Every structure is written in structure tokens, then in C-alpha cells.
């Protein structure tokens, strides 16, 4: 990862987090004047938003805007913040669906509220505490989504540009939900096809994580067709590469760096490209073991490690690493020949190096 990329990302992250902190404090104060009982909900949401994270989506909005010669930071920051809060909403709900216990090294929202219920000694037992935790987390996600829409609606621009921004933003909201739906249903009736896996990869990551945020920044800056289309191409390639790398880290990364237990996708039964390629390349006996273990939430840790070893030894891991390399190279080729403002271009090229070096 380049020093220039590090510096650009660090400055942006500090700026973004300062703005998010101010915004969340103001929203919390307004809510507490009406409903002081909601303090625990809003404080937990604030803690999650400010607990870290890559800040990739808002950075892409911001640096795409700069790359296309946008010059008014006050116009782009609300859109960048909206994408981060939209992501927070999705993370909270995703953690409920995945039965995840930790996020960024801390208890997930539903676990936080479940544990609070038990600490307070409220009526009932584990089942009631779990229902309370899930319900409160759903509400926290809903608040984050409301905040995202509120910020997005505050952007002042001419009517034609506003329409284009709305079309991209709300497409982004729908597409990631479509991708989540497809992912949840894949494999229920047999092994999903490579085309199905690519559809999920594009909806949940290619579009949502990179391409749509880049498009938002480009539109806000008034980019012409050549820049817009090239940034979209770059975004599609990088978004898919990031998700594939996430799948690798989720299976083989350091739990302390990843912030959650590795091997979780196996326990949840997620049919990723790692599973797809392993079933295609492994011996029949190893493929049968993987199918049998996939989705068993109580699978012993040693069995999880054994299945990870199968994914590695079969060539499944190498096949996905090759996919990451191809998409990263494609993204680099697009950006290198594109006329962009220096800071934006440096960020987009540096992001490719960051992808290859990251551990979380």
C-alpha cells in the first residue's frame, strides 16, 4: 500500500469520523428531547458507527468526486456519510441473519442488547433476551437507514443531477438486498451455478461496495460519459475483487485482525466461490465432507480447520486468489489510462495495492 494512499485515507477518515460524530450527536440530542428512553439504542448505534471499519464506500464517493474535479467538500460529505450509515444498517441486519457474535472485535448489536436484557434481570430467560436483542438491533439498523436517507436528501444540486443521484442511490439500496436474498436461497435446492454466484458477487459487492459509490461521486462532480463509464468499469472489477478477498480472509485470516471468528461462512452454509471451486477440484471424498459440513453450526473447530485445509489443498483457494488477481489487474488497466485529477487518481490506484495487502 502506497504512502500517498495511506495519507489520503487517513486524512479522509479523520474528516469523515468528525462529521459523523457531530451528526450523530445532534440527532441523538433531538431524539432524547422526545424520547429519553431511546438513549441506549442511539448510544449503541453511535458506538458501532465510530468503532472503525474500512470506510471504503464513503471514501470512494469522496475521491471519485475529487477525481472528476469536484471542488465543494460540503456537497460531497453528506453523500459519503449516507453511504456509511447505509452500510451500518446493512451490517446490523446481516449480523442477525448470520447469527454473528462479534463485529469489529466487539459484540454485535443483537448480542449487546441480549446481554443487557440478561444483566438487567428482566422477565424471562434466554429466549426472551434473544428476541429483545434481535428486535433492538433491527431498530438500530432502521435508525441508521433513516439517517442515511436524511443525509442524502440534504444534498443541494440542480434537478437533473438530483434525479441521477437518486436513481443510483436507491438502486444501490435495492441491489444489495436482492443480492442478500439470492445468497440466502442459494444452495437450498442443490449447488448453485457459477452464473448465480457471479450475480450475487455483482449485486452484493461489485455494485454496492464500489461501483455505485464511485458513480455517486462522479455524478455529483458533473463527470462526462467517458470518466463515468471508466469509473463504473473500475468499480465493478474492484468490488468483486474485494468480496472475493473478504471470503478468503473470512476463511483463512487472523481472527484478531478480521474482527470475527474465521470459518464462519462454513458454519452459516454460505456457498461462496471458495466452496464452488473446491467442490469442482477436490476428490469425491473431500467434496462430500465439505458438503456435509457446510451449514452445520455446531461443527467442532477441528472439523472447521480440516475443511479449510481441504479448500486449500484442493486448489479452491488458489482459484479464488487467481480471480482476485484478474479483477485487480483489470481495474488497474482502466485507471492508468484515464485522465483524472491527481489526488483522486492516486487514491484509486492505491486502493488496488491496499486490496492485495489487507488483512481485515
Amino acid at each position: 500500500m502506497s504512502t500517498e494512499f495511506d495519507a489520503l485515507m487517513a486524512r479522509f477518515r479523520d474528516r469523515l469520523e468528525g462529521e459523523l460524530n457531530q451528526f450523530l450527536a445532534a440527532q441523538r440530542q433531538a431524539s432524547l428531547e422526545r424520547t429519553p428512553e431511546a438513549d441506549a439504542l442511539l448510544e449503541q448505534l453511535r458506538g458501532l458507527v465510530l468503532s472503525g471499519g474500512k470506510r471504503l464506500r464513503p471514501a470512494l464517493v469522496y475521491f471519485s468526486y475529487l477525481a472528476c474535479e469536484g471542488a465543494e467538500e460540503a456537497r460531497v460529505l453528506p453523500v459519503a456519510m449516507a453511504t456509511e450509515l447505509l452500510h451500518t444498517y446493512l451490517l446490523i441486519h446481516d449480523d442477525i441473519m448470520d447469527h454473528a457474535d462479534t463485529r469489529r472485535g466487539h459484540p454485535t448489536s443483537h448480542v449487546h442488547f441480549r446481554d443487557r436484557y440478561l444483566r438487567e434481570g428482566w422477565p424471562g430467560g434466554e429466549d426472551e433476551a434473544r428476541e429483545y436483542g434481535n428486535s433492538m438491533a433491527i431498530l438500530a439498523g432502521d435508525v441508521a437507514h433513516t439517517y442515511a436517507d436524511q443525509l442524502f436528501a440534504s444534498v443541494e444540486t440542480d434537478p437533473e443531477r438530483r434525479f441521477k443521484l437518486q436513481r443510483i442511490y436507491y438502486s444501490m439500496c435495492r441491489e444489495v438486498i436482492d443480492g442478500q436474498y439470492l445468497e440466502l436461497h442459494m444452495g437450498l435446492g442443490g449447488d448453485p451455478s457459477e452464473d448465480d454466484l457471479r450475480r450475487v458477487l455483482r449485486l452484493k459487492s461489485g455494485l454496492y461496495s464500489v461501483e455505485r459509490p464511485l458513480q455517486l461521486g462522479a455524478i455529483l462532480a458533473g463527470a462526462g460519459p467517458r470518466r463515468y463509464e471508466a469509473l463504473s468499469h473500475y468499480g465493478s472489477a474492484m468490488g468483486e475483487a474485494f468480496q472475493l478477498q473478504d471470503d478468503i480472509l473470512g476463511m483463512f485470516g487472523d481472527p484478531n485482525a478480521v474482527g470475527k471468528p474465521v470459518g464462519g461462512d462454513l458454519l452459516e452454509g454460505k456457498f461462496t466461490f471458495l466452496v464452488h471451486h473446491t467442490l469442482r477440484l477436490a476428490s469425491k471424498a473431500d467434496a462430500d465432507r465439505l458438503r456435509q459440513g457446510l451449514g452445520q453450526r455446531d461443527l467442532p473447530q477441528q472439523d472447521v480447520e480440516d475443511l479449510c485445509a481441504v479448500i486449500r489443498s484442493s486448489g479452491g483457494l488458489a482459484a479464488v486468489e487467481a480471480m482476485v488477481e484478474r479483477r485487480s489487474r483489470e481495474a488497474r488497466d482502466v485507471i492508468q489510462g484515464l485522465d483524472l485529477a491527481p489526488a483522486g487518481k492516486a487514491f484509486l490506484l492505491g486502493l488496488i495495492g491496499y486490496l492485495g495487502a489487507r488483512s481485515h
Side-chain angles (χ1 to χ4, degrees), residues 151-176:
L151 280 162
F152 184 78
S154 72
V155 179
E156 296 181 9
T157 189
D158 66 88
E160 182 180 357
R161 196 170 296 178
R162 173 177 285 277
F163 174 76
K164 291 178 180 178
L165 287 168
Q166 288 174 338
R167 180 169 53 83
I168 295 300
Y169 177 76
Y170 290 111
S171 292
M172 180 180 176
C173 295
R174 289 193 310 271
E175 286 156 354
V176 68

Side-chain angles (χ1 to χ4, degrees), residues 192-241:
S193 68
E194 187 160 331
D195 285 344
D196 287 337
L197 289 169
R198 289 191 183 280
R199 277 201 299 156
V200 171
L201 193 61
R202 176 153 176 75
L203 289 167
K204 282 196 68 179
S205 189
L207 285 165
Y208 165 71
S209 292
V210 185
E211 186 173 349
R212 294 306 192 195
L214 285 168
Q215 290 173 343
L216 288 171
I219 290 170
L220 195 60
R226 183 171 184 272
R227 279 177 169 170
Y228 180 85
E229 290 167 11
L231 288 170
S232 296
H233 186 176
Y234 167 92
S236 175
M238 284 299 293
E240 292 180 15

Side-chain angles (χ1 to χ4, degrees), residues 20-47:
L20 282 169
N21 194 21
Q22 289 184 31
F23 174 80
L24 292 170
Q27 296 305 310
R28 180 185 178 198
Q29 184 60 39
S31 293
L32 292 181
E33 291 174 4
R34 300 187 303 269
T35 316
E37 298 84 353
D39 190 35
L41 177 71
L42 300 179
E43 180 57 27
Q44 203 282 329
L45 175 60
R46 175 184 171 277

Side-chain angles (χ1 to χ4, degrees), residues 11 113 133 152 287 302:
R11 284 197 297 270
F113 286 115
F152 184 78
Q302 184 58 55

Side-chain angles (χ1 to χ4, degrees), residues 11-27 46 49-50 55 58 62 73-82 84-85 147 151 154:
R11 284 197 297 270
F12 170 74
R13 188 180 288 115
D14 287 345
R15 183 80 170 95
L16 177 79
E17 291 178 359
E19 291 291 322
L20 282 169
N21 194 21
Q22 289 184 31
F23 174 80
L24 292 170
Q27 296 305 310
R46 175 184 171 277
V49 172
L50 298 177
R55 310 302 193 198
Y62 181 83
E73 190 176 70
R75 293 183 68 210
V76 69
L77 278 172
V79 181
M81 292 164 64
E84 184 64 20
L85 288 166
Y147 287 170
L151 280 162
S154 72

